[in-house]
Amino acid sequence: MASVPSLASTVQQRLAEGLSAALPEAGSADPLLRRSDRADFQANGILALAKQLKGNPRELATKVVESIPANDVLKEIEVSGPGFLNITVSDAAIVETLAARAADARLGVPLNEAAGTTVIDYAQPNVAKEMHVGHLRSAVIGAAMVEILEFTGETVVRRHHIGDWGTQFGMLIQYLIEHPHELDHKDEGAEVSGEEAMSNLNRLYKASRALFDADEEFKTRARARVVDLQAGDEETLALWQRFVDESKIYFYSVFEKLDMDVRDPDIVGESGYNDMLQETCRILEESGVAVRSEGALCVFFDDIKGPDGNPVPLIVQKSDGGFGYAATDLSAIRDRVQNLKATSLLYVVDARQSLHFKMVFETARRAGWLNDEVKAVQLAFGTVLGKDGKPFKTREGETVRLVDLLDEAIDRATSVVAEKKEKAGLTDEEVAENGRFVGIGAVKYADLSTSAVRDYKFDLDQMVSLNGDTSVYLQYAYARIQSIKRNVTDAEPTAHPELELAPAERALGLHLDQFGATIAEVAEEYAPHKLAAYLYQLASHLTTFYDQCPVMKAETQELKENRLFLVDLTARTLHQGMALLGIRTPERL
């Protein structure tokens, strides 16, 4: 089905036609339409137009209104103030537009068939290291952007650029050679849990680090092992692969708990670009983008200087021949643009790495890998803070393990759900499942409802609250509608454009109609927090609607059907919007 024009776009078109008819000299002027608390919409474009045409704005506004023929969409247009147009649409237009949305599986949201290919780089844990609270935001924000962009028609390629290379692996592999059973599992052949995999890796990492720091001969052997790894020695690579595989068991267990879909082909770590590093350096040096400075291959920038006033370069290759993050990141850009045919590269990475990515992107532009047809954007995010407003730590001052934080959220949420068990008619299995959906949803929503670049406080008490801007409030709104639909046995959701709408019905309907425009804005700006804000406002409109417009006790059958239609479309919109944020909406809560 074709996308459904929003009321705003229909009103915009009628106003634009009126402008052209009344003021042909204005050309295709923009009416500058927006939602208003004085009417349904307000148009401010005539003020700028009057200035341009040197006319009286109120007179021009009146002329435009008189040029708009009577129609079934615009109920009333009032000239206000110095030339604003306050516009009220008809009740029938609201209901008919919503009926068209309801008839479409996509709720009228357009699918852009000419969209490009976006590679999203997100959820980047490190091999042989535990995931902590700092890994949360990249995973949650990135997964939401994958869903949102795919929904709008973009071809999305997921990339998890895991830390799976570097000098630490010489230490780990050498230790495993000398202690060959350190990665063995308790029950050979049995399925390994993420906890057991991480326990093995933690133990081996600590033991190898202690030996590396204490034993000079082991340190020498470990450094030699790095050379073997980089040279592609078969035994060394096989042991390295064991670390990667063991880490994946752990990663997948955490991502599963986060209700995230991560697949093997999506994981292309630092090691995946090894074969490209030399050529990347050669291209940059031969083209003059990078130059040798004190033996290192560097890229310099006029506007990036250190505290001493000297230029701070991007070091692509160190003076000892080793490669840093820049060489890998630039090689990844080459691969994503040339092999994956990306038109957009989206990096969901901590704001503290902004300078690095600014330099990498500028270098790629100078090399011609990024241009007017291919863009790279860092979706930078802030820090997760504790209730005290400081970076989130345990009482002992340690970094918080991500799995512990998720488990606590699920426990808290399960307690909240259990309190409603009898009223909602839930089984013990449903309490456990819904507790998981509510707990993980609460964590995700707290993250996604904050503008990515801002820091936010991790407060589980607030996150699992039934009141306020929380996912639990939205999930309960959805479940409440499902309860109403189950209890209404003598009516089906049916649109009745002939009915007059109450103020709360109009407000709910007009907000429902903004769903498509909101999705387009969120995708364009990489701003999932705007979708969260839209959904919270939708649930708030629904709460007002419940208070003022009874469904089951509606005065007439037509009114009951129409209100049932409004809440059904609200439920579908909540469900779709929450799914795009990666949050489940249980049928009973």
Side-chain angles (χ1 to χ4, degrees):
M1 180 174 172
S3 63
V4 179
S6 68
L7 276 167
S9 63
T10 304
V11 172
Q12 173 101 358
Q13 186 181 348
R14 299 285 162 91
L15 287 180
E17 289 166 359
L19 271 169
S20 297
L23 307 166
E25 65 274 30
S28 55
D30 187 348
L32 296 179
L33 192 73
R34 62 179 179 82
R35 285 299 309 278
S36 169
D37 55 3
R38 295 177 179 273
D40 295 335
F41 299 97
Q42 188 175 78
N44 302 338
I46 292 173
L47 277 82
L49 197 56
K51 203 171 182 180
Q52 180 188 324
L53 300 176
K54 298 182 171 57
N56 180 302
R58 273 192 73 91
E59 288 176 9
L60 292 180
T62 303
K63 195 175 177 184
V64 169
V65 172
E66 289 169 351
S67 300
I68 298 173
N71 61 80
D72 56 356
V73 175
L74 305 178
K75 180 181 177 183
E76 184 183 353
I77 307 179
E78 175 202 19
V79 178
S80 171
F84 300 126
L85 297 182
N86 287 335
I87 300 145
T88 303
V89 296
S90 70
D91 291 348
I94 294 174
V95 177
E96 285 167 359
T97 301
L98 294 183
R101 290 194 177 282
D104 179 23
R106 293 177 52 80
L107 303 175
V109 177
L111 184 69
N112 182 2
E113 292 176 0
T117 297
T118 296
V119 176
I120 302 188
D121 189 323
Y122 69 110
Q124 310 105 344
N126 293 308
V127 165
K129 288 186 180 174
E130 201 148 25
M131 290 178 72
H132 53 77
V133 68
H135 291 110
L136 179 65
R137 301 208 72 186
S138 176
V140 169
I141 296 168
M145 285 314 309
V146 167
E147 297 298 328
I148 291 162
L149 291 178
E150 282 188 337
F151 188 64
T152 60
E154 193 80 4
T155 299
V156 176
V157 180
R158 301 159 167 85
R159 276 293 175 267
H160 305 294
H161 190 86
I162 64 172
D164 65 351
W165 205 247
T167 53
Q168 69 184 23
F169 286 97
M171 175 186 84
L172 292 166
I173 293 166
Q174 188 60 37
Y175 188 86
L176 190 58
I177 287 171
E178 296 174 17
H179 304 81
H181 300 295
E182 283 295 307
L183 282 186
D184 292 350
H185 298 125
K186 294 173 194 166
D187 301 310
E188 284 301 323
E191 191 171 330
V192 183
S193 72
E195 280 293 317
E196 186 188 344
M198 196 64 244
S199 174
N200 281 345
L201 290 166
N202 265 344
R203 188 179 63 252
L204 193 146
Y205 187 88
K206 286 175 182 173
S208 62
R209 168 56 68 182
L211 191 59
F212 186 87
D213 291 341
D215 186 332
E216 284 298 322
E217 290 184 1
F218 175 76
K219 187 181 285 189
T220 301
R221 294 196 298 277
R223 285 177 171 156
R225 187 59 58 182
V226 177
V227 177
D228 294 338
L229 178 63
Q230 292 173 339
D233 173 68
E234 280 189 27
E235 180 197 16
T236 306
L237 276 177
L239 291 170
W240 167 81
Q241 190 65 51
R242 280 192 69 188
F243 281 104
V244 174
D245 292 343
E246 193 81 3
S247 296
K248 281 184 180 178
I249 294 170
Y250 164 68
F251 295 159
Y252 288 165
S253 73
V254 178
F255 289 132
E256 187 178 353
K257 189 161 284 192
L258 263 172
D259 201 13
M260 270 177 58
D261 179 26
V262 175
R263 311 164 199 152
D264 246 19
D266 306 334
I267 296 181
V268 182
E270 294 169 13
S271 63
Y273 306 101
N274 280 343
D275 295 344
M276 300 177 69
L277 301 181
Q278 289 285 5
E279 189 181 6
T280 296
C281 291
R282 180 185 61 75
I283 293 169
L284 292 174
E285 189 167 14
E286 288 180 0
S287 63
V289 173
V291 295
R292 292 282 167 186
S293 175
E294 298 177 24
L297 186 63
C298 303
V299 182
F300 289 92
F301 310 88
D302 293 338
D303 60 337
I304 301 176
K305 293 182 170 64
D308 55 4
N310 291 324
V312 175
L314 181 71
I315 300 173
V316 185
Q317 188 175 27
K318 301 169 193 171
S319 55
D320 63 2
F323 301 101
Y325 291 123
T328 306
D329 287 333
L330 288 163
S331 297
I333 289 176
R334 279 180 57 216
D335 175 62
R336 293 166 184 183
V337 172
Q338 295 168 0
N339 298 330
L340 300 179
K341 307 301 180 191
T343 49
S344 299
L345 306 177
L346 183 61
Y347 291 78
V348 188
V349 184
D350 192 317
R352 288 170 292 190
Q353 296 187 45
S354 293
L355 179 60
H356 168 77
F357 279 99
K358 179 184 177 183
M359 294 195 288
V360 166
F361 294 163
E362 177 56 28
T363 300
R365 270 189 287 274
R366 292 179 187 179
W369 304 325
L370 298 177
N371 48 48
D372 291 343
E373 281 73 48
V374 186
K375 65 174 181 177
V377 177
Q378 182 194 358
L379 205 178
F381 57 82
T383 305
V384 181
L385 307 174
K387 285 186 186 180
D388 58 2
K390 297 176 182 174
F392 202 10
K393 302 279 186 185
T394 65
R395 285 179 184 168
E396 295 74 34
E398 299 291 319
T399 302
V400 178
R401 295 192 334 151
L402 182 53
V403 72
D404 291 343
L405 184 143
L406 298 178
D407 283 342
E408 188 182 353
I410 291 169
D411 288 347
R412 293 276 194 98
T414 303
S415 300
V416 171
V417 173
E419 288 173 13
K420 307 275 185 181
K421 176 184 173 183
E422 289 182 21
K423 186 179 178 184
L426 300 174
T427 64
D428 289 342
E429 290 77 13
E430 286 173 321
V431 169
E433 182 179 74
N434 289 354
R436 198 169 78 250
F437 293 158
V438 171
I440 296 302
V443 170
K444 288 183 176 181
Y445 187 83
D447 194 311
L448 293 167
S449 59
T450 305
S451 174
V453 77
R454 288 178 53 200
D455 300 342
Y456 78 96
K457 291 182 184 179
F458 195 94
D459 182 348
L460 272 178
D461 293 328
Q462 173 57 29
M463 288 179 187
V464 299
S465 169
L466 300 177
N467 303 309
D469 189 3
T470 68
S471 67
V472 193
Y473 176 61
L474 304 183
Q475 288 167 322
Y476 266 103
Y478 176 82
R480 190 174 181 185
I481 295 172
Q482 301 311 314
S483 174
I484 288 174
K485 286 166 60 183
R486 284 191 297 271
N487 290 327
V488 174
T489 55
D490 62 341
E492 290 294 320
T494 310
H496 284 281
E498 74 279 6
L499 293 178
E500 188 176 327
L501 297 178
E505 291 173 309
R506 287 182 60 84
L508 179 61
L510 286 165
H511 193 72
L512 280 167
D513 186 54
Q514 289 180 274
F515 185 56
T518 300
I519 295 294
E521 183 181 353
V522 167
E524 176 71 25
E525 298 178 12
Y526 304 133
H529 70 283
K530 291 192 173 183
L531 175 55
Y534 169 87
L535 295 172
Y536 173 62
Q537 288 163 357
L538 179 60
S540 300
H541 281 302
L542 183 69
T543 300
T544 305
F545 170 90
Y546 281 140
D547 291 342
Q548 298 176 12
C549 306
V551 178
M552 289 186 278
K553 295 180 180 177
E555 293 89 340
T556 68
Q557 185 69 11
E558 290 79 14
L559 201 53
K560 182 186 286 189
E561 289 173 351
N562 200 57
R563 286 177 180 173
L564 204 55
F565 160 73
L566 284 172
V567 296
D568 183 56
L569 183 56
T570 300
R572 289 175 58 196
T573 305
L574 280 170
H575 175 77
Q576 180 64 74
M578 295 285 268
L580 294 178
L581 296 179
I583 299 172
R584 306 267 185 164
T585 41
E587 297 290 307
R588 298 173 189 267
L589 267 182

